[in-house]
Amino acid sequence: LEDCRRKLEESLRRREESFLLLVERGIFGNFRSPYRSLLEWAGIALEDLRSLVRKEGIEGSLEKLFDAGVYLNLDEFKGIQPIVRNGLIIPRANCDNPLLARHFEGCTGGSRGVERRLIIDFDAIAHDAVSNGLFLQGRGLMNRPAALWRPVPPGASGLKRCLIHAKLGIPVERWFTQNKWDIRTGPLKSYLFTSYAVYGSRLYGSPLPVPEYTPALEALRVARWLARKKGEGTPAFLDTNVSSGIRTCQAATEAGLDIGDSFLRLGGEPLTEVKARLVAGTGCQVGCHYSMSETGPIGVCCGDAQWADEVHLLSEKIALIRRQKPLDSGYNALPFYLTTLLPQSPKIMLNVDSGDYGEVEVRRCGCPLEHAGLHIHLHNIRSYEKLTSEGMHFLGGDILKLVEEVLPKAYGGGPMDYQFVEQDRGGLPEISVMVSPRLGAIEESQLIETIIDFLGARSRGERMMAERWAQARTLKMVRRNPLSTGSAKTLALHVIRNT
C-alpha cells in the first residue's frame, strides 16, 4: 500500500510530462489520429501545445483548445457520425491508442449503443491497481473474502478486476459471470485467453477463480455466498454492476438471507440515492467507482463519501473540463469533457464529451486517496444523453427519476421494474416503456399520462415536447422484464441501435 501511494504521487508529479509524451507519440506521431487533423486545422503545432501547457497547465490548455474547436462529441468519438468543422471533414474517427502493447482485444459492454472493440494493455491494469489498493485500504476491505459478478471475455471488466486483485496480492474467491465461458458459445480467442489466464495463473502463485455462469435471474446464488460468509463471521466484498448488486439484495431479502455488513462495490450505471437506500436496507455498505470502458476508472470511491456515488477524480490519468452545451429542451448541460494523460490509456481522448455531467468540488476528506494527492471529488454523476422521438428529447436524469421514484410510487415495484427502450424501426424512433409482469394490473393510458405529466412539468420547452409526444402517441407500454446489456446492466434508458 505504501508502494501504491508513492506510485500515485509520482504519476501526479509527472502528469504534464506524461500528457505531452502521449500527444507527441500518440497524436502528432500518428497520421490516422483525428486529433492531429483537428490540431492542424486549428493551426496548433506540437511546440505550440508544449508552450501552452508550460504557461497555462493542462486544464487551462484544454480550455483554449476547446475554444479553437479541438474537441469531439460522444458520437464523433464513437465513430457514429463524422467530425465536421468549418473546412474540415473526418469521415470516421479512430481513437485507438497506437502505443499500446495490445495484450488482448475485448469489447465494451454496449451500454451506449453497439459494442465496440477495446484494446487492453496490462500496464494500464497495473496502473489502475494503485488507486484500487488505496480505495480498499480506505474502506477496510483488504482482508475480506472477495467475489466478482462480472462478464468473462470478450467483455473486459471481469478479467481486468481479477488481474487488479492479483496485482495487489488479494485473492478473489469466486468469479460469478453473466455470460458463458464455453468454447461452443463464445469467440474461440476469448475462451482460450480466459483459460490461459485462469489456469496459467496457478503457476505464478496467484490463482484466478474459475468463472461460474450465473445469469442475471440467478442472483440468489450470489446472495447465498454473501450470507454464508456473513454466517462465518467474515462479511464479504462483492464487485459488480449496479443492476446485479440490486438484484443480489432483492434476492437476499426475498429469501430471508442475512447479508448485512457485506460491502458492495458497484459501477457501470448511476448509483442513485434510491438504489443506495435499497442496498443499505439489507444492512450492506455500498460504494461505487466511475468508469468508461474506453478509459477504465475515471473516479474511485471515496473512503469518507458524503454522497452515494462520490468518487475521487483520478487526476493523474484523466483531465476534466466543463463547458456549457445547449440542448433542444432549453437547458444548458454542463458535460464532462475528458482527456487521457497516460501512454497506456486504452483510447486516446482529447476534450471528448463523456455524455455525463455532475457536481465537481475540491475538499479534504482524509482518506488514503486524498493523502496521495487526489483532491477533486465528483458526485451526482448522470447522463444527459437523449431519449429522442418526434424531434424532441429528454435528459437521462429525468428518465432515472421516472424509473426510480415516480412510477414505483404510482404503480408499485422498484427501480428494476421499469425501463424506457428506444429503437429505430423503419427510420422512425419507437419508445416502449417496459413494465415488469410481476406488478399488478396497470392501465396503459394511465401510465402514459403519468409520464407525460411528469415530463411536461419542468419547463415551457419540456411541456411543448410532452404535448407533442402525447399527440403523436409516441409512448407504448410493454409488459415484460426490462432488457439488459451484454454486461448485464439494466439501464433506465436502453437504446437499441441498428447495426
Side-chain angles (χ1 to χ4, degrees), residues 23 48 79 103-104 107-108 114 139 143 148 165 168 175 183 236 241 253 291 335 369 373 417 479 485 489 492:
V23 168
D48 298 327
H103 291 118
F104 177 69
C107 66
T108 66
V114 297
R139 288 300 184 103
N143 298 315
L148 309 176
H165 277 259
L168 293 167
W175 182 1
I183 196 171
N241 60 50
T253 300
S291 302
L369 290 159
D417 293 315
R479 293 306 297 263
T485 68
K489 302 173 189 175

Side-chain angles (χ1 to χ4, degrees), residues 360-377:
V360 181
E361 65 176 333
V362 176
R363 75 176 182 92
R364 301 282 181 171
C365 63
C367 85
L369 290 159
E370 190 263 329
H371 285 309
L374 299 179
H375 306 307
I376 301 175
H377 294 243

